[in-house]
Amino acid sequence: MRVGVLTGGGDCPGLNAVIRAVARPSFERGHEVVGVRAGWRGLVEGIFEPLGPREISGLLPRGGTILGTSRTNPYKVDGGVEQVLGNFGEQGIDALVAIGGEDTLGVAAKIFEEHDFPVVGVPKTIDNDLAATDYTFGFDTAVFICTEAIDRLHTTAESHNRVMVVEVMGRHTGWIAVMSGIAGGADVILIPEQPITVEQACAEIKRRHERGKDFSIVVVSEGYELSYESGERRQVTQETATDEFGHVRLGGVGHELARDIEERTGFETRVTVLGHVQRGGSPTPRDRVLATRYGLKAADLVHEGRFGRMAALQGDDIVDVSLAEATAELKTVPEDWYAVAKAFFG
Ligand code: F6P
């Protein structure tokens, strides 16, 4: 068999560990492995590179992706899907492992459905917003980086009696904010799914100061819509244009929130936007292990010809689910997780 591997969408720690874990058993089974460059763009444009034992050596701790990535959507390129099918056939590839989030795997689900395309998926994203799996790989590393940042901000916040607003990624879900906020002991956490108002956030901060604590940490997810008692709600974006999957570029809510907090509470407020720092670098041990288990599962699914499936984590078990189920809707933060965070507000 000739097995293709593709990494699409935003990069995240653990992608290379998956590539390694797909390739190793595939070599042992006598299969060839070929890397598709730059996500779906590589299949549209026909950009491939052979992967042998030498290429996959030393990958386990390495951040980013050796294959490169893109946010290309073949369904938005004129003749894109036909080019994908054509290049795939020309290369003599028998199966594709697509490692990606809702967008990359959404394409995989659709092309499988429409063309019986031999693809299996691996759930990747720091946002942890894919359904049908408990966790995506990359998330643990992002939470670890954000938690460390919150710890560091604590000491400087305390020295200066300041409110520190920390903006984290997560797109339209607040998983990174909630988990790093709980782990870092945040005093208020604002997420898209449970939008408390700016006035409520300020009340929590004031309550805390009345208790004698003269500094506070506020974690805000980039997708939180600024919400006010008046009923006004506002999404802060970096630009209005959308990408090929219809996403706007989020970011900047932290600055507006900080201004609002300073104005309403009178407390000196600073803001830190963690940005792509939380997506770069080496994966945590947990992500290395999860990525490895996912990669092995994907290699098995390919070997058994079980296409249209995605490796998933349920409890402590690696299982497989349908790509359609995994991409049907976003996995949002449920109320009971937010309740854990809220128990420590103020
Ligand atoms: O989906 C992962 C993610 O990091 C989101 O949290 C964030 O909104 C987006 O990607 C940023 O994308 P880009 O790399 O295009 O700036």
Side-chain angles (χ1 to χ4, degrees), residues 30-114:
H31 303 327
E32 266 177 58
V33 179
V34 56
V36 178
R37 298 282 320 169
W40 287 108
R41 185 158 74 79
L43 270 172
V44 172
E45 297 177 9
I47 325 167
F48 302 96
E49 77 181 40
L51 293 179
R54 186 194 290 262
E55 284 73 27
I56 62 144
S57 158
L59 288 190
L60 187 57
R62 198 159 140 193
T65 163
I66 58 161
L67 295 175
T69 184
S70 72
R71 294 196 191 277
T72 298
N73 181 351
Y75 282 93
K76 288 289 156 71
V77 178
D78 240 2
V81 176
E82 291 67 30
Q83 281 167 251
V84 167
L85 300 173
N87 285 320
F88 191 76
E90 255 172 47
Q91 281 289 315
I93 305 176
D94 302 291
L96 179 73
V97 177
I99 312 168
E102 49 151 342
D103 299 334
T104 303
L105 298 185
V107 171
K110 198 164 174 197
I111 204 166
F112 168 75
E113 181 89 12
E114 292 176 355

Side-chain angles (χ1 to χ4, degrees), residues 10-11 71 124-127 129 168-172 176 222 238 243 248-250 276 278-279:
D11 74 335
R71 294 196 191 277
K124 163 243 67 159
T125 166
I126 61 165
D127 303 338
D129 57 359
V168 300
M169 284 183 168
R171 205 166 255 161
H172 298 294
I176 299 177
E222 62 177 1
Q238 294 196 46
D243 68 14
V248 285
R249 194 138 67 86
L250 295 170
H276 296 78
Q278 68 206 285
R279 230 170 68 182

Side-chain angles (χ1 to χ4, degrees), residues 4-28:
V5 185
L6 161 163
T7 54
D11 74 335
C12 85
L15 283 164
N16 289 322
V18 178
I19 296 169
R20 167 183 178 265
V22 169
R24 281 282 282 271
S26 300
F27 294 153
E28 273 177 30

